Every structure is written in C-alpha cells, then in structure tokens.
Amino acid sequence: MPLPTPKPDDPAAVLRSSPPPRAGAPTVLKIVIAGGFGAGKTTAVGAVSEITPLSTEEYLTEASADVDSLAGLESKRTTTVAFDFGRLSLPDAPMPLELFLFGTPGQDRFVDLWYDLSRGAVGAVVLVDTRRLESSFTPVSFFEDIGLPFVVAVNQFEGAHRYHPEQVRAALELPAAVPVVTCDARDTNHVAGVLLALVDHAVNCAATTNRAGHAPSTTLQDA
C-alpha cells in the first residue's frame, strides 16, 4: 500500500522561495477550491476557467443515500468523485497571474485526497453554503491544521438567508486574519474577485512568515 501523504508544513514557502518569473511571464499559482457537499465548487471552477474544465462528476445513486444527505439539495444529481480542474489567466492584475484551480470533492470521506490536492498550492478558497453551515467545519479545520492560507467565500444561493460576513466568521469561529467575503459561484467576476482576495491573503501570510524569520521550505513544491 502507498504511504499516506504527509501534511504540508509551510505552504507560504511556495511564494517565498519560488524563482521569479521570466520578464513578461505570468506568475503561475496553484489554488484549491474546497467546501462542503454541494457548496458550489464545480460551478465556481467552471465559471472562471478559460479552458473546458476537467470534471469528475458522477451521478448520485441510492448506494450513497445513507452518507450523502441531500437535505436542502434535493435537485442535486451529480457529485465530484476526484477533483475539478480549470485555468484562469489574469494578465491585467497588478502581478500577471496564471491560476491553476483544483476543486475538491466535498464529502468528508475524501479528506485523504485533499492532502494530495493541496500539495504545491499557495492557498485555498472555502466555499460556504449557509443553508448547510455544518458542512463547512471540516474544510475550515483541514486548512487550519495543515497551515495553508485560506479565505472563506459565502456562496449566496437563491432563496438563502443573507448573513453578514462577520456573522459567518463568528459561526465558524474564524480568526480575524481570515478574510470572509460573499460571492455568487456562477458569476465569473465574483469568483475572480475571490481568487484575487486569496492571492493577496497568501502574499501577506508569506510576508509575515518572512518577517518572523522562518526558513523557506520546499514541502509543497512537488506538485
């Protein structure tokens, strides 16, 4: 059997120790988009990807009825079983960027796969569905445990109650340093804005770590 993937110990090192891009070349960054079952991860990747997204969606069957609750998601027919992949180029950003986006499967039983998807990432977006807020605790705890910078993006589903971001922060017991924003995962501009907020947060985390005098690590540069 393969050995379990070790937890990454210094994700900010990807930004600190990566070589500068060639003149005129964008900075390439890997980003993870996570969240609970049905939070909108596949939708978000598809909304911004400039290529046809790679999707591993499979139809839900009766065999998963006992473990994949559809309460509040009665219209959901498929689920991600490995990951989603998309790419977004932002040549007009203050620092030209090329973002590789990896959407995780939402169910807790796939957490082992989240470790692999997080390798090489500079940060993560945790999409939150306030109708099923309890499903957000696992991804939040996961990124806190591995030390990967993340932002929380509240996906504003139609018909869902609108909560202030600080109410969501309090409910998820998030520290003040973690950005909480709102978005519509179907809207290209909304999702792009969330990704830029994450990049800014990751850069700030890397700068803070540098000031603390931590030595760069290459743990996450394998991906």
Side-chain angles (χ1 to χ4, degrees):
M1 296 178 60
L3 294 175
T5 304
K7 292 184 179 182
D9 59 1
D10 189 8
V14 178
L15 285 175
R16 296 198 309 271
S17 58
S18 296
R22 303 183 308 276
T27 298
V28 178
L29 300 176
K30 178 182 178 182
I31 290 175
V32 177
I33 299 181
F37 179 55
K41 302 174 292 297
T42 299
T43 299
V45 172
V48 295
S49 180
E50 64 197 17
I51 63 173
T52 300
L54 169 65
S55 179
T56 57
E57 292 274 287
E58 295 291 344
Y59 284 102
L60 291 163
T61 67
E62 291 183 4
S64 67
D66 292 337
V67 291
D68 293 335
S69 171
L70 292 177
L73 301 171
E74 286 77 10
S75 63
K76 187 172 177 59
R77 295 290 178 265
T78 62
T79 186
T80 298
V81 295
F83 62 89
D84 300 310
F85 174 76
R87 186 183 70 203
L88 175 64
S89 298
L90 297 170
D92 298 325
M95 175 177 63
L97 298 171
E98 186 170 0
L99 306 180
F100 290 170
L101 311 174
F102 289 80
T104 70
Q107 297 93 325
D108 292 357
R109 63 181 180 276
F110 291 118
V111 166
D112 286 346
L113 180 58
W114 297 3
Y115 287 118
D116 292 326
L117 293 176
S118 297
R119 294 186 66 83
V122 296
V125 173
V126 176
L127 278 173
V128 168
D129 179 357
T130 57
R131 302 169 303 174
R132 297 160 57 95
L133 191 63
E134 68 282 355
S135 68
S136 302
F137 284 96
T138 296
V140 165
S141 296
F142 175 83
F143 293 116
E144 288 178 337
D145 288 346
I146 68 173
L148 191 68
F150 68 96
V151 302
V152 166
V154 181
N155 190 5
Q156 296 187 316
F157 287 89
E158 291 182 9
H161 184 78
R162 299 295 190 253
Y163 294 95
H164 190 279
E166 290 307 309
Q167 292 177 288
V168 176
R169 179 189 305 281
L172 292 176
E173 300 180 342
L174 297 169
V178 176
V180 181
V181 298
T182 59
C183 74
D184 182 337
R186 302 168 299 181
D187 188 292
T188 299
N189 291 331
H190 280 209
V191 178
V194 171
L195 296 173
L196 286 174
L198 170 63
V199 172
D200 183 64
H201 179 55
V203 169
N204 290 336
C205 288
T208 300
T209 305
N210 273 341
R211 288 195 295 270
H214 293 177
S217 165
T218 60
T219 302
L220 286 183
Q221 298 183 43
D222 305 335

